[in-house]
Amino acid sequence: MVSDGYYYALALVGAAVLLGWLAGPLWALPACLLALFFLWFFRDPERAIPAEAGLVVSPADGKVTDVSATNLDGKPCTRISIFLNVFDVHVNRSPITGVIKSAVYKPGKYLNAMDATSAEANEQNIVTVEGDGLTVVFKQIAGLLARRIVFNYKPGDAIVRGQRVGLIKFGSRTDVILPRPSDVMVQVGDRVKGGSSVLARVPVRQKSAPEPVHEGTEAVR
């Protein structure tokens, strides 16, 4: 459970007690139901994180609404968009293991997250992670109801695949931008789970082996 759920629920339980005392038990029922909804909404289930090298996992629960070609810094990439409705888990997770190179907050509008223009126009947090010789960008994008984006880390922090990194409240969208070539494992309409569903397989760059030092020679320092 995300701690926010307890705060909302406690406030609503307090309101329910007050309404029940002032107006009767029936008036307290809506507040009690809302308290239960918030406890359920802020659930944070454990997930089985795949360990195979080169996998990019979903940063969020939801429905894949777009898989398309795009460009990032002039380089061809693939964008995978995931829409989260109010019934999905809203905890966000890291798609890969690596180091956060940047985390840029961009104010914007609150268009319907299903709208293609929301990817650029809406309020969002843009996170760039580098690891395993590749760079992956994922965006936390606010939606029509979402009014708060939470990201718990900063540039320079090391994170691992599937690690909890933040939260978007009340309906939203996440975009993942992958380098090409990538073997995309999902299609539009698929349901995915944050941290456990594999979005793509990306070739891992092998580190070059150091030059051997032969007997009778001195290594250059």
Side-chain angles (χ1 to χ4, degrees), residues 20-89:
W21 179 60
L22 293 175
L26 286 178
W27 289 92
L29 184 59
C32 289
L33 292 176
L34 272 176
L36 291 174
F37 169 77
F38 280 117
L39 288 173
W40 175 78
F41 178 86
F42 286 103
R43 65 199 185 280
D44 184 13
E46 296 295 333
R47 294 284 163 77
I49 314 300
E52 182 183 336
L55 298 183
V56 179
V57 299
S58 177
D61 287 33
K63 181 179 180 180
V64 177
T65 56
D66 181 55
V67 178
S68 60
T70 187
N71 285 282
L72 182 66
D73 297 329
K75 298 178 180 178
C77 297
T78 299
R79 178 176 65 194
I80 300 174
S81 299
I82 301 161
F83 175 74
L84 297 75
N85 63 41
V86 293
F87 301 109
D88 287 313
V89 172

Side-chain angles (χ1 to χ4, degrees), residues 212-221:
V213 177
H214 299 286
E215 187 175 351
T217 62
E218 182 178 344
V220 178
R221 298 183 182 276

Side-chain angles (χ1 to χ4, degrees), residues 13-25:
V13 168
V17 171
L18 183 60
L19 285 169
W21 179 60
L22 293 175

Side-chain angles (χ1 to χ4, degrees), residues 81-103:
S81 299
I82 301 161
F83 175 74
L84 297 75
N85 63 41
V86 293
F87 301 109
D88 287 313
V89 172
H90 276 59
V91 173
N92 296 144
R93 295 172 179 263
S94 175
I96 64 170
T97 295
V99 175
I100 299 173
K101 290 302 179 183
S102 66

